[in-house]
Amino acid sequence: MELIFDKTTNSLEESKLIAKEIFNQINLQDVVVLNGNLGTGKTTLIKFICELYKIYNSTSPSFSIVNEYEGDAKVFHFDFYRIKKVEEIYDIGFEDYLNYEESIIFIEWGNLFPEILPKNHFEIQLELNSDNTRIIKFIKHN
Ligand SMILES: Nc1ncnc2c1ncn2[C@@H]1O[C@H](COP(=O)(O)OP(=O)(O)O)[C@@H](O)[C@H]1O
Ligand SMILES: [Mg+2]
């Protein structure tokens, strides 16, 4: 595991710059897991990264489990928050999404089911401080 960066953001604009740095480090086939409590900014950060792929319609998939977007890349956006059993993730074809060749996968709340994450993946840890600043850590697991 390698810490790529550890940054503090004070605003949506600063988070956009962090999104750009993440965008520059990821490629097709990558899995990017976002871990952090409700309201820390997982969906927002994914939205900013998606915009860099010219995807402007990303939304929180908490009810649908997965959203699919198409821009300069195909993006699959998962949210495991409401999932109770790992079977639910397999039932919607998680393996097929992982094997899909030309896509980026984002997973909010991936830490709820660590056993199904591929060994190689990126992790973004988000924390909200009491002064409303946010810590964003970008980590590579391999
Ligand atoms: N860097 C930021 N600065 C200010 N507000 C932010 C920032 N990131 C997210 N927010 C706000 O926090 C709220 C929750 O963000 P969201 O991305 O939905 O969190 P999560 O997906 O982690 O639950 C939203 O209103 C969003 O606009
Ligand atoms: Mg969210």
Side-chain angles (χ1 to χ4, degrees), residues 1-141:
M1 145 175 169
E2 177 201 348
L3 177 66
I4 301 171
F5 64 67
D6 178 348
K7 292 179 185 282
T8 300
T9 163
N10 284 295
S11 65
L12 291 170
E13 283 311 309
E14 283 180 24
S15 288
K16 261 189 199 181
L17 298 176
I18 293 173
K20 174 79 180 170
E21 291 190 49
I22 293 167
F23 171 82
N24 286 338
Q25 302 249 9
I26 62 178
N27 278 300
L28 293 178
Q29 310 264 28
D30 282 335
V31 174
V32 183
V33 174
L34 294 93
N35 297 324
N37 284 332
L38 283 176
T40 48
K42 300 179 293 298
T43 302
T44 303
L45 195 62
I46 291 168
K47 174 174 167 271
F48 290 154
I49 299 170
C50 280
E51 286 172 1
L52 295 162
Y53 290 109
K54 303 197 178 76
I55 293 163
Y56 303 106
N57 62 339
S58 75
T59 55
S60 178
S62 45
F63 291 94
S64 48
I65 305 181
V66 61
N67 288 345
E68 306 187 11
Y69 318 121
E70 180 91 59
D72 286 342
K74 195 159 190 75
V75 171
F76 298 123
H77 178 185
F78 288 82
D79 189 333
F80 288 176
Y81 185 64
R82 283 170 204 284
I83 295 185
K84 297 191 180 65
K85 289 184 173 178
V86 73
E87 287 74 21
E88 295 173 51
I89 305 172
Y90 287 120
D91 284 350
I92 58 159
F94 188 64
E95 298 277 295
D96 296 333
Y97 286 104
L98 281 184
N99 293 329
Y100 194 95
E101 277 169 21
E102 305 220 315
S103 66
I104 315 274
I105 297 181
F106 292 106
I107 308 176
E108 297 189 45
W109 290 100
N111 55 333
L112 295 178
F113 296 96
E115 68 273 26
I116 66 161
L117 302 177
K119 190 158 133 323
N120 294 320
H121 66 273
F122 289 100
E123 178 184 8
I124 302 172
Q125 292 178 359
L126 300 95
E127 287 170 51
L128 179 56
N129 296 317
S130 50
D131 62 358
N132 273 330
T133 61
R134 287 169 162 84
I135 299 169
I136 298 180
K137 290 183 186 146
F138 186 46
I139 296 158
K140 186 174 188 159
H141 292 270

